[in-house]
Amino acid sequence: MGFFDIFKKKKVELLTAEERWNRIWELWEIGDLLSPLENLLTYESEVNNGGHSQYFFNVANGGDLAVEVEAVLSMLPEPLRENLARGYAAFSAQDDISDDVNDELFEECDNIFYKHKQLIIDMIQEAANNGFGHPNNT
């Protein structure tokens, strides 16, 4: 690189909305997003793949569920916030983490999630459009 190269304009690649969407999920996958956005993507992914019971179980077994849920609650709009809070309260009240007592409640939580899923998709897309919530892009 020569001295005058620093004055050349950098070529800026503009990403499409789909490319930004894919990029934010790539950053999430490698653990390179900031909280609470990282937590929101974890929530969205886990519930999509196995429902609220899977989300609570997997996060509780791999991290601090209370911290995770609090971060997600800080981002969610109603009625999703109330839905997650209700599911978390039921999960926390279980005597045994594998207890199936709340399957019906978790199914209701899943249904509310899917009914309002577009709200989460819009939040993730907005974050993707505004720098990914990435430590170097905020």
Side-chain angles (χ1 to χ4, degrees):
M1 172 182 215
F3 175 75
F4 291 103
D5 289 340
I6 63 172
F7 297 109
K8 290 183 181 176
K9 289 187 177 182
K10 288 185 179 180
K11 191 180 216 180
V12 177
E13 285 187 42
L14 298 176
L15 300 175
T16 67
E18 183 179 349
E19 290 169 328
R20 289 188 303 267
W21 176 266
N22 291 337
R23 181 67 179 137
I24 201 167
W25 283 103
E26 289 168 4
L27 291 170
W28 171 77
E29 203 169 79
I30 62 173
D32 209 11
L33 289 178
L34 296 174
S35 182
L37 182 58
E38 176 183 21
N39 310 96
L40 180 67
L41 271 72
T42 299
Y43 174 64
E44 198 276 342
S45 176
E46 288 288 343
V47 173
N48 265 332
N49 289 317
H52 280 81
S53 59
Q54 175 178 302
Y55 168 70
F56 295 131
F57 182 77
N58 285 349
V59 173
N61 283 323
D64 189 336
L65 180 60
V67 169
E68 180 86 18
V69 169
E70 188 62 35
V72 177
L73 288 172
S74 76
M75 292 192 73
L76 288 179
E78 291 300 341
L80 292 168
R81 182 180 317 135
E82 180 182 332
N83 186 52
L84 175 57
R86 187 171 68 121
Y88 176 61
F91 183 84
S92 298
Q94 293 182 146
D95 291 334
D96 179 359
I97 201 165
S98 64
D99 191 358
D100 293 333
V101 172
N102 290 310
D103 282 349
E104 188 174 307
L105 177 105
F106 293 147
E107 188 174 327
E108 289 175 25
C109 289
D110 296 346
N111 291 336
I112 291 170
F113 173 89
Y114 293 122
K115 180 178 178 183
H116 300 284
K117 182 179 174 182
Q118 189 62 45
L119 294 171
I120 293 176
I121 290 171
D122 291 345
M123 292 171 66
I124 294 170
Q125 188 65 59
E126 182 179 341
N129 292 341
N130 293 317
F132 306 116
H134 184 276
N136 298 322
N137 291 333
T138 55

